[in-house]
Amino acid sequence: HSKRSGRSSYTLYDPQLDQATTLRRNMERDLRTALERPGELEVYYQPLIRATDGTISGFEALLRWHHPVQGSIAPAVFIPVAEETGLILRLGAWVLQQVCTDTRAWLVDTVAVNASIVELHDEHYASRVAQILSANGMAPQRLELEITESAFCERATDCEKNITHLRGLGVRFALDDFGTGFSSLGRLHNLHAERLKIDRSFVAGFGSDKGDEAIVQAIVDLAQAVGMTTTAEGVETSGQRDLLAAMGCDQLQGFLLSRPLPAREIERLLRAGSLKADLGIGTRLDSS
Ligand code: C2E
Ligand code: MG
Ligand code: MG
Ligand code: MG
């Protein structure tokens, strides 16, 4: 931090910093507006498929923001702003409500929703989730909350209370982007997550980096040893799919099967039975 204090004492005006602050403030303002204005925010869905037989076990909900002037803005850009400003609490509730409505008729085991660590630290988070689920008649057993690996809960905090509350209802948890954070293996089984989602950077290294293959195999074996299941993110090629299946990975997700799509597109594909086409394997799913 000596560098930072040094800089501030020499630089009276930092146009770059100023610009970043303005951009963030504008984005916060626009995000507030988006929450009031239907249509700007939309939940997309990406299929999660069983590695053994290619059937669809569920979908991951991924938030999209169609900004009226700037066009589509990536979650990696606006989620951090929502987290900094606390808007993520309203955004998360909006997503869950939308997920309940959109997926009501979808015959799948799992709908995965990303949860921010900021939400998990809010003392009312679990009761808000419970309320949204019950108001919409969605079984808690159907919901899997994805939390990034780095987002640890300390003991006896609101975060841990929320997780205990939700687990008591039957909500399941997955550790997202696994392998990129710094979790100690010893803490893994204390986390009470059912699933490890292997970060797509490892899958991307298949074929060029033997280390990545070894890491994925180790994660799959570790998960099996502690009674957890695994999902590989970012499956883009049939070669990656085959290798992951041979490694014993349980679930696959990626552009090979489908990009994230709007609910109506998913329903259209389900009706047409064409979600299975890319993989050439059957699916038992329909949208009746
Ligand atoms: P994530 O939860 O790890 O989601 C997976 C990301 O990988 C998504 O990016 C998805 O579009 C992308 N992806 C899926 N398959 C492939 C593939 O085969 N290749 C490549 N290159 N990418 C693939 P997206 O939608 O841009 O979301 C980025 C992140 O933003 C998510 O990462 C999640 O951390 C966060 N996010 C998205 N929606 C929400 C939300 O509703 N709430 C919260 N708190 N965070 C969200
Ligand atoms: Mg996720
Ligand atoms: Mg992920
Ligand atoms: Mg990721």
Side-chain angles (χ1 to χ4, degrees):
H1 43 34
S2 63
K3 198 175 170 193
R4 188 180 297 167
S5 56
R7 197 175 70 162
S8 63
S9 56
Y10 290 110
T11 314
L12 293 175
Y13 175 70
D14 183 338
Q16 226 169 359
L17 191 72
D18 193 57
Q19 199 183 26
T21 309
T22 308
L23 284 174
R24 210 164 40 236
R25 283 209 193 106
N26 289 346
M27 189 169 290
E28 178 189 357
R29 180 201 61 204
D30 293 353
L31 211 42
R32 270 181 212 288
T33 313
L35 273 162
E36 311 294 334
R37 209 151 49 191
E40 277 194 42
L41 297 172
E42 187 173 11
V43 180
Y44 277 35
Y45 297 88
Q46 187 176 34
L48 306 165
I49 71 152
R50 296 185 187 87
T52 44
D53 60 4
T55 56
I56 296 175
S57 48
F59 293 91
E60 178 175 2
L62 294 158
L63 184 56
R64 295 291 178 263
W65 183 13
H66 313 292
H67 190 282
V69 179
Q70 294 170 49
S72 110
I73 301 179
V77 174
F78 69 82
I79 294 286
V81 175
E83 288 178 329
E84 280 169 37
T85 57
L87 275 174
I88 192 72
L89 300 183
R90 288 175 59 200
L91 215 52
W94 185 89
V95 168
L96 187 58
Q97 170 61 51
Q98 199 61 40
V99 163
C100 289
T101 314
D102 286 342
T103 67
R104 185 163 292 158
W106 301 1
L107 303 177
V108 287
D109 298 340
T110 304
V111 184
V113 175
N114 292 285
S116 158
I117 189 66
V118 175
E119 293 179 277
L120 282 158
H121 279 291
D122 177 61
E123 58 172 327
H124 303 299
Y125 177 65
S127 42
R128 200 161 51 240
V129 169
Q131 193 273 325
I132 295 171
L133 294 179
S134 81
N136 289 279
M138 172 150 148
Q141 289 77 9
R142 216 168 167 243
L143 178 65
E144 189 166 281
L145 291 174
E146 298 192 357
I147 307 171
T148 53
E149 184 202 354
S150 55
F152 272 135
C153 274
E154 300 299 326
R155 291 204 68 83
T157 56
D158 285 329
C159 184
E160 197 188 51
K161 286 179 205 158
N162 279 322
I163 290 181
T164 306
H165 181 166
L166 290 166
R167 291 192 62 84
L169 297 174
V171 173
R172 288 164 295 146
F173 286 86
L175 283 184
D176 212 342
D177 305 333
F178 188 78
T180 57
F182 301 95
S183 45
S184 85
L185 296 182
R187 285 192 70 171
L188 245 192
H189 72 282
N190 294 330
L191 290 171
H192 305 298
E194 278 78 8
R195 181 181 299 284
L196 296 180
K197 294 194 75 173
I198 303 163
D199 192 73
R200 73 163 180 265
S201 58
F202 300 111
V203 177
F206 281 12
S208 59
D209 189 339
K210 281 281 168 213
D212 283 341
E213 291 172 31
I215 288 167
V216 171
Q217 184 66 70
I219 294 174
V220 169
D221 293 345
L222 172 72
Q224 274 168 6
V226 297
M228 299 171 82
T229 56
T230 46
T231 300
E233 303 181 319
V235 183
E236 296 182 354
T237 70
S238 52
Q240 291 167 343
R241 173 198 65 199
D242 294 344
L243 192 49
L244 287 160
M247 286 174 167
C249 184
D250 301 293
Q251 196 177 59
L252 310 176
Q253 174 180 10
F255 296 166
L256 176 68
L257 181 69
S258 172
R259 289 182 178 264
L261 296 168
R264 61 181 181 282
E265 279 292 299
I266 292 285
E267 278 163 13
R268 200 179 57 75
L269 290 172
L270 291 176
R271 269 197 300 274
S274 42
L275 267 179
K276 63 191 171 193
D278 289 347
L279 292 171
I281 29 191
T283 160
R284 62 174 183 81
L285 195 141
D286 63 62
S287 59
S288 58

